[in-house]
Amino acid sequence: MENENQIKNGSSVHIGVLVLSVAVASYIAYSAGQGAPKTGQTPQKESESASFEIPMNWGDLGVKMISVGVIDPEKFESIYAQRGGLSPEEKQILYGSDNKSIKMTEENAGFLLNMLWALGLGNKNDILESGPMSKYGDVGNFASTGGWILAKNDPMDHYSRHRLIMLTDDQQKLVERVSQNIYRPCCDNATNFPDCNHGMAMLGLLELLAANGASEQTMYKAALRINQFWFPDQYATIAKYLQSKGKSIESADPREILGRNYSSASGFRKIAALVPQTESRSSGGCGVDSGQPAAKPQQGCGI
């Protein structure tokens, strides 16, 4: 009932695949044509660190996703063409076969968002097949499904279709448990209801962390750090709120910060209302990320 109310209230995007795909494509075309941020144009937020090494081995997941078609490499590379193409490190993640841990930075956060989005969408998992999102009609109409325009053929041809990551029963239970407690500021749903790109990407990350033997606490810590890259303004605001209470986001319990009271769209709005706001950068949109700033700051799961 809770998720049903959220969908009725518009917290979750549930529009036609055709309309959504056209909107995403338009967003990509616009944002890819924008110039890259000039040095010093966007100050680094206090809650961010320069980089974060994700505690897992990526291996050849890029190659596997290309081989099954959840990523079409020509489509994928085309969205980065107008900003000089993929970096050597990004090409290694996409095409390499012996990747170890991956370092997330402000520069590659959008690229890794797209890679993890494809992973979460394509990997076979009970959360997609019988979880909360499966109860609401055609799941192909969500932003996280119909909005993935970088696959070969229809994105739903790949929805929970490929065994890209193998989980034990205990690891699956861990992913299910943790995913219920991790929210993102663009939506009011937890990761076990991955109706937008950030939710689907976070699901892919949790699956990968669990498969690599990460503990529950490690998964929460990694999820918080990564959400800080994907939503820098929102978590900078949360950090300021905590500072006003004599606390710091670095020492806070990551599970608490990722929960509904702080990291859901409604929870964040309450926090933001208590913190003086400054000019924000573009962040939090739920379309395919071309690595370029959008025309204006985006909130929610729209394009």
Side-chain angles (χ1 to χ4, degrees), residues 39-276:
T39 302
Q41 180 176 331
T42 304
Q44 188 178 43
K45 298 295 186 290
E46 294 177 5
S47 63
E48 295 176 346
S49 297
S51 65
F52 172 63
E53 189 166 332
I54 306 174
M56 52 76 178
N57 288 330
W58 180 258
D60 62 349
L61 279 172
V63 174
K64 289 179 179 177
M65 288 192 286
I66 290 172
S67 70
V68 298
V70 70
I71 290 179
D72 182 323
E74 292 184 4
K75 292 179 181 178
F76 197 98
E77 289 213 42
S78 70
I79 70 169
Y80 294 92
Q82 294 188 50
R83 60 179 289 246
L86 297 173
S87 70
E89 293 79 11
E90 290 167 343
K91 286 187 176 181
Q92 174 63 27
I93 293 170
L94 182 60
Y95 298 114
S97 59
D98 189 28
N99 293 285
K100 303 301 181 183
S101 61
I102 292 176
K103 184 174 292 186
M104 180 173 282
T105 66
E106 183 176 311
E107 289 72 29
N108 72 7
F111 165 81
L112 291 178
L113 171 64
N114 288 338
M115 294 295 292
L116 289 167
W117 180 0
L119 179 62
L121 174 72
N123 189 52
K124 187 172 181 61
N125 195 280
D126 288 345
I127 291 174
L128 297 182
E129 296 178 13
S130 57
M133 198 169 79
S134 67
K135 307 298 191 294
Y136 295 96
D138 183 3
V139 295
N141 289 335
F142 287 107
S144 60
T145 52
W148 179 248
I149 59 173
L150 303 182
K152 289 187 176 180
N153 304 317
D154 190 285
M156 288 305 295
D157 291 343
H158 305 285
Y159 181 81
S160 192
R161 192 64 57 87
H162 313 294
R163 294 192 180 278
L164 301 167
I165 300 173
M166 301 298 294
L167 298 176
T168 66
D169 289 344
D170 286 343
Q171 289 169 342
Q172 176 65 25
K173 291 177 182 177
L174 177 61
V175 171
E176 292 175 358
R177 183 168 65 251
V178 174
S179 67
Q180 295 177 35
N181 299 314
I182 295 178
Y183 288 77
R184 62 268 186 192
C186 61
C187 305
D188 247 6
N189 293 318
T191 300
N192 69 334
F193 197 109
D195 57 334
C196 77
N197 60 343
H198 299 95
M200 193 66 82
M202 183 60 71
L203 176 60
L205 174 70
L206 295 181
E207 292 169 338
L208 189 53
L209 289 172
N212 277 265
S215 67
E216 185 167 341
Q217 183 67 6
T218 296
M219 292 169 74
Y220 281 119
K221 287 181 178 179
L224 177 56
R225 292 295 303 278
I226 287 172
N227 259 8
Q228 287 177 270
F229 281 103
W230 289 344
F231 300 96
D233 293 324
Q234 289 88 337
Y235 283 95
T237 297
I238 291 172
K240 289 179 181 178
Y241 171 77
L242 292 172
Q243 288 171 2
S244 73
K245 302 296 182 181
K247 304 176 183 179
S248 71
I249 196 168
E250 291 78 15
S251 61
D253 179 0
R255 174 172 176 166
E256 179 182 6
I257 302 303
L258 288 164
R260 176 182 293 278
N261 290 339
Y262 286 91
S263 288
S264 69
S266 58
F268 173 74
R269 283 195 296 268
K270 293 177 182 178
I271 296 294
L274 302 174
V275 178

Side-chain angles (χ1 to χ4, degrees), residues 10-32 113-114 117 141-149 186-187 195-198 282-290 293-303:
S11 296
S12 299
V13 172
H14 197 267
I15 61 179
V17 176
L18 178 60
V19 174
L20 178 60
S21 298
V22 171
V24 175
S26 299
Y27 167 73
I28 294 170
Y30 184 90
S31 62
L113 171 64
N114 288 338
W117 180 0
N141 289 335
F142 287 107
S144 60
T145 52
W148 179 248
I149 59 173
C186 61
C187 305
D195 57 334
C196 77
N197 60 343
H198 299 95
S282 301
S283 64
C286 291
V288 174
D289 194 303
S290 66
K296 59 183 179 180
Q298 298 189 36
Q299 301 295 333
C301 291
I303 302 301

